[in-house]
Amino acid sequence: MIPWLVIALGTAPVRAEEPTPVVEVLDPFIEMHTAPGRGYPVFHVIEHGEQVELLKRKTNWYKVRASAGETGWTKSTQLGRTLQPSGLPADLPEVSHGQYLESSWRVGFTAGQLEQSPSFSLTVGYRPLTWLGAELEAGKIYNQSVTSDYYGANLIIEPLHRWSVTPYLLTGYSRFAFDARQKVVLSSLDDASGVALGGGLGYYIGRNFLIRAEYRVYSVSSNSESAGLSEWKIGMNTFF
Protein backbone atom coordinates (compact mmCIF):
# COMPACT_ATOMS: atom_id res chain seq x y z
CA MET A 1 0.00 0.00 0.00
CA ILE A 2 1.36 3.45 -0.92
CA PRO A 3 1.74 5.39 2.33
CA TRP A 4 -0.07 8.67 2.93
CA LEU A 5 1.96 11.28 4.72
CA VAL A 6 1.41 14.70 6.19
CA ILE A 7 4.10 17.35 6.70
CA ALA A 8 4.59 18.06 10.38
CA LEU A 9 4.76 21.59 11.77
CA GLY A 10 8.35 21.31 12.93
CA THR A 11 11.62 20.65 11.12
CA ALA A 12 14.73 18.82 12.26
CA PRO A 13 18.00 20.51 11.25
CA VAL A 14 20.97 18.70 9.73
CA ARG A 15 22.88 21.97 9.88
CA ALA A 16 21.65 24.98 11.83
CA GLU A 17 21.01 27.07 8.72
CA GLU A 18 19.49 24.31 6.57
CA PRO A 19 16.47 22.65 8.17
CA THR A 20 15.15 19.47 6.61
CA PRO A 21 11.46 18.59 6.25
CA VAL A 22 9.76 16.13 8.57
CA VAL A 23 6.72 14.09 7.54
CA GLU A 24 4.34 11.89 9.47
CA VAL A 25 3.32 8.43 8.30
CA LEU A 26 -0.44 8.04 7.94
CA ASP A 27 -0.56 4.59 6.34
CA PRO A 28 0.40 1.38 8.16
CA PHE A 29 4.14 1.50 7.42
CA ILE A 30 7.09 2.62 5.26
CA GLU A 31 9.92 0.25 4.38
CA MET A 32 13.54 1.35 4.79
CA HIS A 33 16.20 -0.22 2.55
CA THR A 34 19.92 -0.34 3.22
CA ALA A 35 20.67 1.45 -0.08
CA PRO A 36 18.72 3.15 -2.92
CA GLY A 37 17.42 0.17 -4.90
CA ARG A 38 14.72 -2.50 -4.73
CA GLY A 39 17.37 -5.22 -4.63
CA TYR A 40 18.71 -4.03 -1.28
CA PRO A 41 17.18 -5.61 1.83
CA VAL A 42 14.55 -4.00 4.03
CA PHE A 43 16.02 -3.62 7.53
CA HIS A 44 13.46 -1.44 9.28
CA VAL A 45 9.78 -0.52 9.07
CA ILE A 46 8.50 2.92 10.07
CA GLU A 47 5.03 2.50 11.49
CA HIS A 48 1.89 4.59 11.38
CA GLY A 49 2.13 7.83 13.32
CA GLU A 50 5.92 8.00 13.40
CA GLN A 51 7.80 11.02 12.07
CA VAL A 52 10.34 10.73 9.26
CA GLU A 53 13.12 13.21 8.50
CA LEU A 54 14.02 13.62 4.79
CA LEU A 55 17.79 13.89 4.44
CA LYS A 56 18.75 13.45 0.80
CA ARG A 57 17.33 12.55 -2.62
CA LYS A 58 19.02 10.34 -5.24
CA THR A 59 16.95 9.95 -8.41
CA ASN A 60 13.66 8.37 -7.24
CA TRP A 61 14.86 7.37 -3.76
CA TYR A 62 15.00 9.35 -0.52
CA LYS A 63 17.40 8.90 2.34
CA VAL A 64 15.36 9.21 5.55
CA ARG A 65 15.83 9.06 9.29
CA ALA A 66 13.23 7.48 11.54
CA SER A 67 12.29 8.98 14.90
CA ALA A 68 14.24 6.21 16.64
CA GLY A 69 17.41 7.20 14.75
CA GLU A 70 17.61 4.50 12.06
CA THR A 71 18.78 5.83 8.67
CA GLY A 72 17.95 4.20 5.34
CA TRP A 73 16.45 4.64 1.88
CA THR A 74 12.80 4.76 0.82
CA LYS A 75 11.38 4.83 -2.70
CA SER A 76 9.88 8.20 -3.64
CA THR A 77 6.49 6.64 -4.40
CA GLN A 78 6.18 5.88 -0.68
CA LEU A 79 6.72 9.58 0.05
CA GLY A 80 5.02 10.94 -3.04
CA ARG A 81 1.67 11.98 -1.50
CA THR A 82 1.86 14.59 1.23
CA LEU A 83 -0.27 17.33 2.68
CA GLN A 84 0.82 20.81 3.65
CA PRO A 85 -0.12 22.04 7.11
CA SER A 86 -2.95 23.92 5.36
CA GLY A 87 -4.33 20.59 4.12
CA LEU A 88 -3.48 21.22 0.45
CA PRO A 89 -1.54 18.56 -1.52
CA ALA A 90 2.23 19.09 -1.55
CA ASP A 91 4.07 16.66 -3.85
CA LEU A 92 7.72 16.07 -3.15
CA PRO A 93 10.16 17.53 -5.72
CA GLU A 94 10.66 15.62 -8.95
CA VAL A 95 14.04 14.29 -10.00
CA SER A 96 16.00 17.16 -11.52
CA HIS A 97 18.94 17.64 -13.84
CA GLY A 98 21.08 17.98 -10.71
CA GLN A 99 20.21 14.46 -9.61
CA TYR A 100 21.10 13.23 -13.11
CA LEU A 101 24.54 14.83 -12.74
CA GLU A 102 25.03 13.13 -9.37
CA SER A 103 24.12 9.68 -10.72
CA SER A 104 26.92 7.29 -11.62
CA TRP A 105 25.24 4.46 -13.57
CA ARG A 106 23.18 4.51 -16.74
CA VAL A 107 21.77 1.94 -19.15
CA GLY A 108 20.31 2.60 -22.57
CA PHE A 109 19.08 1.47 -25.96
CA THR A 110 19.94 3.05 -29.32
CA ALA A 111 18.82 2.62 -32.91
CA GLY A 112 20.45 4.05 -36.02
CA GLN A 113 22.17 3.32 -39.28
CA LEU A 114 25.72 2.13 -39.95
CA GLU A 115 26.37 3.09 -43.56
CA GLN A 116 23.30 1.62 -45.33
CA SER A 117 22.43 -0.94 -42.65
CA PRO A 118 20.14 -0.50 -39.61
CA SER A 119 21.89 -0.94 -36.28
CA PHE A 120 20.70 -1.45 -32.71
CA SER A 121 22.67 -1.54 -29.47
CA LEU A 122 22.46 -1.78 -25.69
CA THR A 123 24.79 0.23 -23.48
CA VAL A 124 25.86 0.19 -19.83
CA GLY A 125 27.80 3.17 -18.57
CA TYR A 126 29.54 4.37 -15.43
CA ARG A 127 30.54 7.97 -14.75
CA PRO A 128 33.19 8.39 -12.02
CA LEU A 129 33.33 12.15 -12.65
CA THR A 130 30.57 14.56 -13.60
CA TRP A 131 32.25 15.34 -16.94
CA LEU A 132 33.80 11.94 -17.71
CA GLY A 133 32.24 8.52 -18.24
CA ALA A 134 32.85 5.11 -19.76
CA GLU A 135 30.42 2.67 -21.32
CA LEU A 136 30.26 -0.84 -22.74
CA GLU A 137 28.20 -1.46 -25.85
CA ALA A 138 26.82 -4.53 -27.62
CA GLY A 139 24.77 -4.39 -30.78
CA LYS A 140 23.64 -5.88 -34.07
CA ILE A 141 23.78 -4.73 -37.66
CA TYR A 142 21.08 -5.86 -40.07
CA ASN A 143 21.50 -6.08 -43.83
CA GLN A 144 19.52 -8.18 -46.31
CA SER A 145 18.16 -10.47 -43.57
CA VAL A 146 21.66 -11.23 -42.26
CA THR A 147 22.83 -10.01 -38.84
CA SER A 148 26.28 -9.15 -37.59
CA ASP A 149 27.41 -8.47 -34.03
CA TYR A 150 29.62 -5.72 -32.68
CA TYR A 151 30.99 -4.90 -29.24
CA GLY A 152 32.73 -1.80 -28.01
CA ALA A 153 34.09 0.25 -25.14
CA ASN A 154 33.75 4.03 -25.23
CA LEU A 155 35.04 7.02 -23.32
CA ILE A 156 32.60 9.95 -23.06
CA ILE A 157 33.57 13.53 -22.23
CA GLU A 158 30.84 16.02 -21.28
CA PRO A 159 32.60 19.38 -20.80
CA LEU A 160 29.37 21.42 -20.58
CA HIS A 161 27.51 19.04 -18.35
CA ARG A 162 25.34 21.52 -16.46
CA TRP A 163 23.11 22.31 -19.42
CA SER A 164 19.83 20.44 -19.92
CA VAL A 165 21.07 19.87 -23.48
CA THR A 166 24.63 18.62 -23.01
CA PRO A 167 27.08 18.16 -25.90
CA TYR A 168 29.63 15.39 -25.54
CA LEU A 169 32.64 13.90 -27.32
CA LEU A 170 33.19 10.16 -27.74
CA THR A 171 36.15 7.96 -28.56
CA GLY A 172 36.16 4.19 -28.44
CA TYR A 173 37.28 0.80 -29.66
CA SER A 174 34.94 -1.69 -31.35
CA ARG A 175 35.10 -5.29 -32.50
CA PHE A 176 32.91 -6.42 -35.42
CA ALA A 177 31.92 -10.01 -36.16
CA PHE A 178 30.55 -9.91 -39.70
CA ASP A 179 28.72 -12.80 -41.28
CA ALA A 180 30.54 -14.17 -44.33
CA ARG A 181 27.53 -13.37 -46.54
CA GLN A 182 27.36 -9.76 -45.42
CA LYS A 183 29.52 -7.20 -47.21
CA VAL A 184 28.62 -4.07 -45.30
CA VAL A 185 32.19 -3.12 -44.48
CA LEU A 186 34.76 -4.91 -46.63
CA SER A 187 34.28 -7.31 -49.50
CA SER A 188 36.01 -10.28 -47.87
CA LEU A 189 35.77 -9.43 -44.20
CA ASP A 190 34.59 -11.78 -41.47
CA ASP A 191 35.95 -10.07 -38.32
CA ALA A 192 37.38 -6.60 -37.87
CA SER A 193 38.39 -4.09 -35.25
CA GLY A 194 38.04 -0.35 -35.37
CA VAL A 195 38.43 2.90 -33.50
CA ALA A 196 35.66 5.47 -33.35
CA LEU A 197 35.49 9.23 -32.95
CA GLY A 198 32.24 11.06 -32.59
CA GLY A 199 30.02 13.41 -30.74
CA GLY A 200 26.44 13.99 -29.81
CA LEU A 201 23.87 15.69 -27.65
CA GLY A 202 22.15 14.46 -24.52
CA TYR A 203 18.81 15.97 -23.52
CA TYR A 204 17.44 15.46 -20.02
CA ILE A 205 13.66 15.00 -20.40
CA GLY A 206 12.79 14.51 -16.73
CA ARG A 207 12.81 12.00 -13.90
CA ASN A 208 15.33 9.24 -14.78
CA PHE A 209 15.42 9.60 -18.56
CA LEU A 210 17.80 11.09 -21.08
CA ILE A 211 17.65 11.17 -24.90
CA ARG A 212 20.92 10.83 -26.83
CA ALA A 213 21.57 11.68 -30.48
CA GLU A 214 25.00 10.74 -31.80
CA TYR A 215 27.21 10.60 -34.89
CA ARG A 216 30.37 8.47 -35.20
CA VAL A 217 33.12 7.85 -37.72
CA TYR A 218 34.89 4.46 -37.60
CA SER A 219 38.25 3.46 -38.97
CA VAL A 220 37.86 -0.32 -39.42
CA SER A 221 40.66 -2.70 -40.41
CA SER A 222 41.29 -6.45 -40.81
CA ASN A 223 44.41 -8.03 -42.30
CA SER A 224 45.47 -5.77 -45.18
CA GLU A 225 42.06 -4.19 -45.75
CA SER A 226 40.65 -1.07 -44.15
CA ALA A 227 37.61 1.13 -44.52
CA GLY A 228 36.03 4.24 -43.13
CA LEU A 229 32.45 3.96 -41.86
CA SER A 230 29.93 6.41 -40.47
CA GLU A 231 27.01 5.82 -38.14
CA TRP A 232 24.24 7.93 -36.68
CA LYS A 233 22.03 6.80 -33.82
CA ILE A 234 19.44 8.01 -31.36
CA GLY A 235 18.34 6.38 -28.14
CA MET A 236 17.03 6.57 -24.59
CA ASN A 237 19.03 6.26 -21.39
CA THR A 238 17.90 5.80 -17.82
CA PHE A 239 20.18 6.63 -14.89
CA PHE A 240 20.38 5.59 -11.26
Side-chain angles (χ1 to χ4, degrees):
M1 182 183 296
I2 298 177
W4 290 78
L5 309 158
V6 63
I7 296 180
L9 295 177
T11 59
V14 174
R15 288 175 288 185
E17 69 277 12
E18 295 186 10
T20 57
V22 174
V23 297
E24 182 180 332
V25 179
L26 297 185
D27 256 21
F29 62 87
I30 285 180
E31 295 177 338
M32 293 178 63
H33 296 251
T34 57
R38 287 186 179 276
Y40 294 98
V42 175
F43 73 96
H44 182 69
V45 172
I46 304 173
E47 297 182 350
H48 171 79
E50 293 187 42
Q51 290 188 337
V52 182
E53 185 179 359
L54 308 183
L55 303 177
K56 179 181 178 182
R57 185 171 73 254
K58 183 177 178 64
T59 64
N60 59 343
W61 287 81
Y62 277 83
K63 188 175 184 180
V64 300
R65 180 185 294 125
S67 57
E70 296 89 348
T71 300
W73 292 85
T74 299
K75 194 168 177 61
S76 60
T77 52
Q78 293 192 299
L79 300 172
R81 298 181 179 181
T82 62
L83 294 177
Q84 301 178 22
S86 62
L88 297 175
D91 292 334
L92 296 176
E94 296 288 342
V95 178
S96 68
H97 188 239
Q99 276 68 58
Y100 158 65
L101 295 173
E102 293 176 1
S103 302
S104 299
W105 291 94
R106 68 168 68 168
V107 295
F109 171 81
T110 65
Q113 193 165 25
L114 177 65
E115 291 298 318
Q116 303 302 316
S117 300
S119 63
F120 302 90
S121 67
L122 297 174
T123 59
V124 177
Y126 177 74
R127 184 170 51 188
L129 302 174
T130 303
W131 57 272
L132 179 67
E135 69 177 14
L136 299 177
E137 183 176 19
K140 284 187 176 292
I141 305 166
Y142 293 83
N143 185 43
Q144 298 176 352
S145 301
V146 180
T147 63
S148 299
D149 299 326
Y150 71 96
Y151 308 92
N154 304 311
L155 188 67
I156 298 174
I157 301 172
E158 295 180 88
L160 303 176
H161 52 272
R162 293 199 175 275
W163 296 354
S164 294
V165 178
T166 56
Y168 63 89
L169 302 174
L170 178 144
T171 182
Y173 173 83
S174 299
R175 184 71 181 173
F176 298 87
F178 290 99
D179 189 279
R181 294 172 291 169
Q182 184 166 329
K183 304 179 186 297
V184 174
V185 182
L186 299 175
S187 58
S188 60
L189 189 61
D190 292 330
D191 296 306
S193 59
V195 294
L197 293 174
L201 293 173
Y203 175 60
Y204 172 71
I205 60 175
R207 296 193 64 83
N208 297 60
F209 297 102
L210 185 81
I211 294 177
R212 285 174 58 180
E214 186 175 295
Y215 179 80
R216 300 184 191 181
V217 176
Y218 294 91
S219 176
V220 181
S221 61
S222 178
N223 301 323
S224 60
E225 296 191 76
S226 62
L229 301 172
S230 62
E231 181 185 28
W232 65 264
K233 57 175 65 182
I234 188 169
M236 181 81 72
N237 284 69
T238 183
F239 57 87
F240 52 95

